[in-house]
Amino acid sequence: METFREEIRSLKGEGLYRQMRLLQGCQRSRVILDGREVLLLCSNNYLGLADHPLLKEAAIRGIAKYGVSSGASRLVSGTMELHEALEKRIARFKGTGAALLFNSGYAANTGIIPALAGKGDVIFCDRLNHASILDGSLLSRAKLVRFPHNDMPALRRLITVNETAGRRLIITEGVFSMDGDLARLPELVALKKEFDALLMVDDAHGAGVLGNGGRGAIEQFGILSGIDIQMGTLGKAFGSFGAYVAASEEIVDYLVNRARSFIFSTSLPPSVLAASLAAFDLVDSSEGALLRGKLATNVSFFRSALRSAGLDTMGSETQIVPVFVGEPERVMDFSQFLLEEGLFVQGIRPPTVPAGSCRLRCTIMATHDRRDLEQAIDAITRGAKKLGVI
Ligand SMILES: *Cc1c(COP(=O)(O)O)cnc(C)c1O
């Protein structure tokens, strides 16, 4: 046990030790942390659906009708009417031939990627892709080539020098989770066509939020085809839990037979499925459009105020607004200062982001009001001056 104690000591010494924070009550724009109300600025519940009455009522009705568990994996006896209904709903929303549920985004990426690529194939992965994409790629045993973030000429070069007789799989996030910038989807679609590669987009942070209809990064760019595998999560803007892939019928059929995290895991329970169905209806409604509009207004107010104050919000183009700090100790001091000011923001450190690029990761919600944002801008600006960030 001494070795673990030693490891923890060294994490603490490097400013990289992590701890969970306990929240009481619901996930809202203000939450109770250690018995005290604080403004929540680090949740992915972007549209505020996590405690929406329609989702809660749907979950309760789902339990009343179907119970609390699916009791088995999908290919055994764990496929219920709600799984089928939700998959149809997702495919209709995304405009694809089919959709398939996974138990989480992590499970989706570690299941989909090894199913699509293996020995002899090459995976081209944006350097800033989420840990679950990296883990899925490593698990696949395909050759892994990481390209510099959003650098299309570099990707082109790397595809050219990494010849293969097998498959090429290009993977990107739609909205990068720690930087809040967008993938270069039109260029990626062109490259994928030129080199006859498969293109997979993880839109965990874009789906529900971007585009007039909330279809995500693809709608933002007006891309109607060319993305073979669209992955998204249900625990972020959709306020529920789980994940999906939207793709052609053939790819979905193949994944049912080959994605191990799908095959060997008990399926999502009725409450989660019913809440997710209600979430898609909501996101797809005029109320959803209203929430997206409110979120966009909040984001531009918040980000332009921080930029005017001289802060570096990196490449942010979305509701994810990083504030560049640099070193781990300083970012932790910054988030501690903000907590004392009644603001809950996480400092992001390696291995989540590259060394030297520690940042506060602020996430904006549709349910923040002007007073919330003004309080946040004021506290962040004062903290940045106090800690010498500006
Ligand atoms: C959150 C996230 C995941 C994981 O999704 P979970 O449902 O939370 O497991 C995958 N990819 C990206 C880009 C994410 O941000």
Side-chain angles (χ1 to χ4, degrees):
M1 291 311 106
E2 191 47 45
T3 65
F4 301 126
R5 219 169 292 141
E6 200 48 53
E7 295 257 356
I8 287 172
R9 232 191 321 268
S10 89
L11 282 176
K12 284 180 175 167
E14 295 163 67
L16 296 177
Y17 182 66
R18 298 174 181 221
Q19 259 177 312
M20 293 182 269
R21 308 300 307 235
L22 179 66
L23 268 63
Q24 292 156 284
C26 274
Q27 294 284 343
R28 296 196 172 126
S29 53
R30 287 179 182 267
V31 294
I32 308 295
L33 184 72
D34 300 329
R36 193 166 136 253
E37 190 188 90
V38 294
L39 176 62
L40 182 61
L41 218 64
C42 53
S43 171
N44 303 320
N45 176 24
Y46 302 123
L47 299 180
L49 300 191
D51 76 326
H52 194 288
L54 284 177
L55 272 72
K56 292 200 283 189
E57 285 157 20
I60 291 163
R61 277 200 310 277
I63 290 174
K65 186 161 179 197
Y66 293 103
V68 291
S69 172
S70 73
S73 60
R74 291 288 298 278
L75 287 166
V76 178
S77 60
T79 297
M80 303 171 79
E81 287 169 288
L82 288 175
H83 293 97
E84 195 182 85
L86 181 55
E87 285 170 346
K88 288 211 163 106
R89 184 72 183 87
I90 294 171
R92 179 152 68 85
F93 180 77
K94 281 287 189 178
T96 54
L100 189 67
L101 290 166
F102 283 84
N103 290 352
S104 69
Y106 189 90
N109 284 335
T110 51
I112 296 165
I113 300 167
L116 294 176
K119 262 203 168 72
D121 301 329
V122 186
I123 297 175
F124 298 92
C125 216
D126 188 289
R127 206 159 254 296
L128 294 190
N129 277 348
H130 192 260
S132 57
I133 299 177
L134 183 61
D135 292 357
S137 303
L138 294 172
L139 203 54
S140 76
R141 298 194 185 90
K143 180 172 181 186
L144 174 61
V145 177
R146 300 176 80 190
F147 60 92
H149 178 51
N150 270 345
D151 187 339
M152 295 300 113
L155 171 58
R156 187 167 213 296
R157 233 173 5 255
L158 287 166
I159 296 176
T160 321
V161 300
N162 286 280
E163 285 280 348
T164 175
R167 254 180 233 145
R168 297 184 175 98
L169 173 62
I170 304 171
I171 313 176
T172 185
E173 293 185 29
V175 173
F176 285 87
S177 61
M178 295 299 138
D179 290 59
D181 57 343
L182 296 164
R184 306 281 181 266
L185 289 185
E187 290 95 323
L188 287 167
V189 169
L191 278 176
K192 159 233 140 76
K193 287 184 176 152
E194 181 182 344
F195 291 97
D196 195 23
L198 285 169
L199 177 58
M200 170 169 171
V201 177
D202 173 342
D203 211 15
H205 298 276
V209 170
L210 295 180
N212 284 334
R215 266 74 178 160
I218 50 158
E219 192 183 6
Q220 181 94 347
F221 284 107
I223 292 171
L224 297 174
S225 67
I227 294 165
D228 304 284
I229 300 107
Q230 298 186 51
M231 176 273 189
T233 62
L234 302 172
K236 289 168 181 165
F238 290 88
S240 180
F241 180 70
Y244 60 85
V245 60
S248 67
E249 277 183 80
E250 304 82 81
I251 288 181
V252 165
D253 195 22
Y254 178 76
L255 291 174
V256 167
N257 285 276
R258 281 285 181 268
R260 294 170 65 85
S261 64
F262 174 85
I263 299 169
F264 298 106
S265 195
T266 301
S267 61
L268 290 173
S271 54
V272 165
L273 301 166
S276 303
L277 269 167
F280 273 90
D281 287 344
L282 213 143
V283 162
D284 212 0
S285 71
S286 55
E287 186 181 342
L290 221 66
L291 288 170
R292 279 188 291 281
K294 178 90 197 304
L295 178 61
T297 307
N298 281 351
V299 169
S300 61
F301 175 74
F302 180 76
R303 197 173 45 220
S304 60
L306 293 186
R307 281 186 183 155
S308 307
L311 287 157
D312 176 5
T313 57
M314 306 177 78
S316 170
E317 302 170 78
T318 64
Q319 75 281 2
I320 298 167
V321 185
V323 173
F324 184 86
V325 176
E327 295 312 313
E329 294 81 5
R330 193 186 289 189
V331 82
M332 293 329 279
D333 289 347
F334 204 160
S335 76
Q336 188 54 38
F337 169 86
L338 294 176
L339 198 54
E340 283 155 23
E341 296 284 322
L343 222 68
F344 185 22
V345 190
Q346 288 287 359
I348 309 287
R349 298 165 286 173
T352 310
V353 293
S357 75
C358 294
R359 69 203 65 178
L360 293 173
R361 175 179 181 266
C362 306
T363 50
I364 305 301
M365 295 162 65
T367 48
H368 285 137
D369 61 27
R370 209 28 92 86
R371 184 181 58 109
D372 295 333
L373 299 175
E374 279 167 354
Q375 181 195 343
I377 293 158
D378 173 60
I380 292 169
T381 311
R382 279 187 294 111
K385 283 182 185 148
K386 183 163 180 254
L387 292 161
V389 175
I390 45 175

